[in-house]
Amino acid sequence: VAPYERPALSKGFLLPESPARLPSFHTCVGANEERLTPKWYKEHGIELVLGTRVKSVDVRRKKLLTATGETISYKILLIATGARALKLEEFGVDGSEAENVCYLRDLADANSLVNVMQSCSSGNAVVIGGGYIGMECAASLAINKINVTLVFPEVHCMARLFTPKIANYYEEYYQSKGVKFVKGTVLTSFEFDSSGKVMAVNLRDGSQLPADLVVVGIGIRPNTSLFEGQLTLEKGGIKVNGKMQTSNDSVYAVGDVAAFPVKLFGETRRLEHVDSARKSAKHAVAAIMEPKKSGEFDYLPFFYSRVFGLSWQFYGDNVGEAVHFGDYLSGTFGAYWISKGHLVGSFLEGGTKEEYEAIAKATSLKPPVEDLAELGQQGLNFALTISKKPQPALPIEVSHSTSGLVLEKPMYAWYAAAGVVLAASIAGFAYWYGRRRRRW
């Protein structure tokens, strides 16, 4: 099928009522008013080659070889190969081929999961993994009235992002919807029936869970194999510069596969999220089309999720000390992360559009924070206040796109100073020239 956005697969696609289906999410870069179907590509002069894959790449010769034997030459190559789901077999557990063991990375996976869900209504589902896929699939399964048990090795869900306090809120909410949690252990093997379907899950702690359906969400790996030995790799992905350009100047990389410099952190990161994919793609195209006009990619890391009636957003980095704020009973709460005396990360559940925009802007500004207790008391007001403060005017030479109102006083001040210097220079020259004439 034509390219589509993956987030729908773990959200609207799995819902029992009015589920999302193509072509509704045949979109890209947030252009939700357009459905980028094969017809759209044709109308815009883009050759869309479906039903095949690239078998090998020769970066030096600038050629691709497809599985059908076709050779494609290029002037510019943009790599958007994304990532693949990790399989249980990579951790020594067999059984992925069973028809009721599901992964969720592409449309075929989603269709398979929906079919199994529909065949085991009111049955038992075991979800392996407490990250994005695990949490979002568990919520969708519960909404489909399936009994869900979530299994993961960490001490709480979403361990890479959530603090224990934040995780506790979501775990209690999920439990109120009937989801059970088994933490601190992992899957070791399956029990199969005579037809080869999984009927139970064995865990390392010795327990066994009945299962009509198993969903595995244990992480992803970037698809870099075509370029190993040809391009510089870093952080598990393909290393790029601030223009999304790889170690070969005719090759660019974007999305999950790209390891790029994040200015906010001062280091190279690889980010697995649709927002990063959209914005890195847009920046790469700008750099390819107008290399002299495009600057360095300046990205604020962003993650979000929507489950049940909940919705949260996170910006920046979750390093340093976490300061919690808000009312957990009302469902509007969050946290700031402070590192080296500055705000570097912000999380908010249940916010308004204005509040989410405020924490995003505040995080990008990295304001100093001296009193953590006071920050906790201020809560959202801190971000709202910081985001509304007027920022210092940009230097004159780079402020051409700023409004005239902002530049009016700085420009006049500059003109006045320049006029004084020019007048003094002319007067000095006249005095010197007059004295020389008298000597001649």
Side-chain angles (χ1 to χ4, degrees):
V1 298
Y4 55 89
E5 295 196 324
R6 296 184 190 276
L9 299 180
S10 60
K11 298 179 177 69
F13 198 94
L14 303 180
L15 296 180
E17 297 180 10
S18 302
R21 290 292 182 270
L22 293 176
S24 67
F25 53 99
H26 266 317
T27 60
C28 69
V29 294
N32 293 320
E33 72 280 0
E34 289 189 281
R35 293 179 180 176
L36 309 193
T37 61
K39 181 182 178 182
W40 183 93
Y41 286 92
K42 187 175 182 180
E43 290 173 346
H44 288 76
I46 300 168
E47 183 181 359
L48 184 62
V49 182
L50 303 177
T52 190
R53 62 177 60 240
V54 174
K55 186 177 179 181
S56 65
V57 178
D58 188 329
V59 170
R60 188 173 62 85
R61 291 191 174 95
K62 298 184 178 181
K63 292 183 183 296
L64 314 174
L65 179 65
T66 72
T68 58
E70 181 184 7
T71 298
I72 302 174
S73 299
Y74 66 84
K75 181 179 179 182
I76 297 291
L77 177 67
L78 195 147
I79 302 167
T81 48
R84 63 175 179 84
L86 283 171
K87 295 297 181 77
L88 289 171
E89 281 72 11
E90 296 174 66
F91 296 88
V93 179
D94 294 326
S96 288
E97 299 307 313
E99 65 179 78
N100 59 338
V101 174
C102 300
Y103 292 83
L104 188 58
R105 185 63 190 170
D106 57 28
L107 185 64
D109 292 338
N111 282 323
S112 176
L113 177 53
V114 168
N115 290 335
V116 179
M117 283 168 52
Q118 291 173 346
S119 69
C120 67
S121 180
S122 300
N124 298 306
V126 177
V127 178
I128 307 298
Y132 261 105
I133 293 298
M135 292 293 283
E136 294 191 351
C137 284
S140 295
L141 290 167
I143 292 171
N144 279 276
K145 300 187 180 343
I146 295 174
N147 303 311
V148 183
T149 302
L150 196 58
V151 180
F152 49 86
E154 297 85 6
V155 294
H156 61 73
C157 67
M158 293 290 291
R160 290 170 60 184
L161 175 60
F162 289 176
T163 66
K165 186 172 183 178
I166 292 173
N168 184 65
Y169 174 87
Y170 290 100
E171 288 180 12
E172 288 186 350
Y173 192 96
Y174 271 64
Q175 287 166 348
S176 74
K177 300 293 184 180
V179 178
K180 298 175 184 176
F181 287 82
V182 178
K183 299 181 278 188
T185 191
V186 295
L187 165 72
T188 55
S189 64
F190 293 120
E191 298 291 331
F192 301 93
D193 65 14
S194 58
S195 67
K197 290 177 64 176
V198 170
M199 62 180 186
V201 169
N202 298 317
L203 304 180
R204 182 182 289 167
D205 64 7
S207 60
Q208 187 180 85
L209 302 172
D212 301 297
L213 163 64
V214 178
V215 179
V216 182
I218 52 178
I220 63 174
R221 286 289 180 273
N223 293 317
T224 61
S225 60
L226 288 171
F227 307 97
E228 289 171 6
Q230 301 191 78
L231 300 175
T232 301
L233 305 183
E234 188 173 321
K235 300 290 178 73
I238 298 171
K239 185 179 181 181
V240 297
N241 60 21
K243 294 181 182 293
M244 310 310 294
Q245 193 173 37
T246 70
S247 52
N248 183 296
D249 60 12
S250 64
V251 182
Y252 295 72
V254 299
D256 290 356
V257 78
F260 63 92
V262 180
K263 287 187 177 182
L264 188 71
F265 306 148
E267 66 180 54
T268 296
R269 294 275 183 99
R270 193 180 56 77
L271 300 174
E272 301 168 358
H273 198 268
V274 65
D275 186 67
S276 171
R278 289 170 174 167
K279 291 176 181 173
S280 61
K282 185 176 181 179
H283 190 83
V285 171
I288 292 167
M289 302 300 290
E290 298 184 298
K292 293 182 180 179
K293 291 184 179 181
S294 65
E296 301 289 299
F297 188 38
D298 191 4
Y299 179 68
L300 174 65
F302 166 60
F303 302 92
Y304 77 93
S305 185
R306 292 189 298 272
V307 291
F308 296 115
L310 306 175
S311 178
W312 59 259
Q313 294 186 16
F314 172 84
Y315 295 89
D317 201 8
N318 60 332
V319 296
E321 190 165 354
V323 177
H324 298 87
F325 63 83
D327 184 1
Y328 282 73
L329 293 177
S330 72
T332 300
F333 62 89
Y336 297 119
W337 279 263
I338 310 303
S339 179
K340 299 178 182 178
H342 289 265
L343 174 69
V344 296
S346 300
F347 172 94
L348 180 62
E349 163 66 46
T352 64
K353 184 174 182 290
E354 180 192 14
E355 289 166 344
Y356 286 130
E357 289 174 351
I359 66 167
K361 185 172 182 181
T363 306
S364 68
L365 293 172
K366 293 183 69 174
V369 176
E370 297 178 358
D371 191 328
L372 299 187
E374 184 181 348
L375 176 65
Q377 291 174 355
Q378 291 183 20
L380 261 177
N381 286 331
F382 177 81
L384 289 166
T385 302
I386 290 292
S387 66
K388 291 174 182 175
K389 279 186 178 179
Q391 300 306 310
L394 293 172
I396 297 303
E397 64 271 16
V398 297
S399 298
H400 55 273
S401 62
T402 311
S403 71
L405 289 174
V406 174
L407 285 181
E408 186 175 2
K409 288 185 178 179
M411 286 292 284
Y412 283 140
W414 188 87
Y415 288 147
V420 170
V421 172
L422 181 61
S425 300
I426 293 172
F429 177 80
Y431 176 77
W432 172 81
Y433 185 73
R435 287 179 62 84
R436 283 184 64 91
R437 286 198 62 183
R438 282 195 293 273
R439 283 201 300 272
W440 293 341

